[in-house]
Amino acid sequence: TDELMIVNAARALGNAAAAGKGVCFVGIGLPSTAANLARRLYQPEPVLIYESGCIGSKPTRLPLSIGDGELADTSDSVVSVPEIFAYWLQAGRIDIGFLSGAQLDKFGNINSTVIGTYDAPKTRLPGAGGAPEIASAAGQVMVIMRQSKRSFVDKVDFRSSIGFGEGKGHRERLGLRGGGPRIVITDLGVMEPDPETCELVLTQVHPGVTPEQCILNTGWQLRVAPTLLVTETVTEIELETIRALQAAT
């Protein structure tokens, strides 16, 4: 199921790069795996940017963190962290922000800070890092997350990174430059925001997955698109490439 999720995320990034929108600000973990898979499979390659200041990274293995020396060693350029955010991200030079988190709600808001209340959390998470700025300023946001009722909730416990806030128009009221989440890829299928409400709607399922499974694993009343598509079967070359990439770590 993770392979299904990662491959479909890589395909989405490959399609964006083919359309000339492949400058991608990448988070560590599943986003980094999918982004590096896309770089190996598709032409033109997406341009991978990491918040440590690495531009055009071409790692030979999956990086362990944004501070992994492999990212700097294989980059076209390395700049300061303030420059990567101010000159590249906040100035509108990033096409796609590729994110994940612990919780996601029906408007695409992400929580990576706490489970429970902030003052007395049940679990304190690693934190948002650069994700709030990425979610605010990137041309569009792609999210990759494993789907369950625990992670796909009606309202996040803490809004670390904004999606569409409380619904349509909220980003505009806040004056945010970026376009917000445009696709959410899970181990069950694909969600996209409704153009009228900005609420996430199930638009695709992976082979063998039913819409009922997706509904049961979602913490809000998930709507299903009138025309529900099935994602393409994973190919041998996609499987071989992702497994070689993971084995090299």
Side-chain angles (χ1 to χ4, degrees), residues 7-76:
V7 165
N8 278 279
R11 289 170 177 169
L13 183 53
N15 290 337
K21 297 289 185 180
V23 179
C24 181
F25 211 128
V26 189
I28 291 297
L30 291 172
S32 186
T33 304
N36 279 285
L37 179 63
R39 194 181 65 76
R40 284 162 171 76
L41 289 176
Y42 304 114
Q43 292 293 332
E45 293 181 9
V47 178
L48 307 190
I49 293 179
Y50 289 82
E51 65 184 86
S52 51
C54 299
I55 300 171
S57 288
K58 304 171 185 65
T60 60
R61 55 172 173 77
L62 294 177
L64 301 176
S65 72
I66 59 167
D68 193 322
E70 177 76 1
L71 293 176
D73 290 344
T74 60
S75 289
D76 295 330

Side-chain angles (χ1 to χ4, degrees), residues 156-178:
V156 291
D157 292 349
F158 185 93
R159 189 184 295 162
S160 308
S161 306
I162 193 166
F164 292 106
E166 300 298 329
K168 188 172 184 178
H170 197 166
R171 292 181 65 89
E172 290 75 10
R173 291 194 296 273
L174 295 174
L176 301 181
R177 174 192 292 270

Side-chain angles (χ1 to χ4, degrees), residues 61-110:
R61 55 172 173 77
L62 294 177
L64 301 176
S65 72
I66 59 167
D68 193 322
E70 177 76 1
L71 293 176
D73 290 344
T74 60
S75 289
D76 295 330
S77 179
V78 180
V79 300
S80 69
V81 172
E83 181 174 334
I84 204 71
F85 280 94
Y87 181 79
W88 290 90
L89 177 61
Q90 293 165 356
R93 293 181 168 89
I94 303 297
D95 298 319
I96 296 172
F98 209 160
L99 300 175
S100 189
Q103 287 182 329
L104 181 90
D105 69 20
K106 62 184 177 182
F107 290 121
N109 303 301
I110 295 173

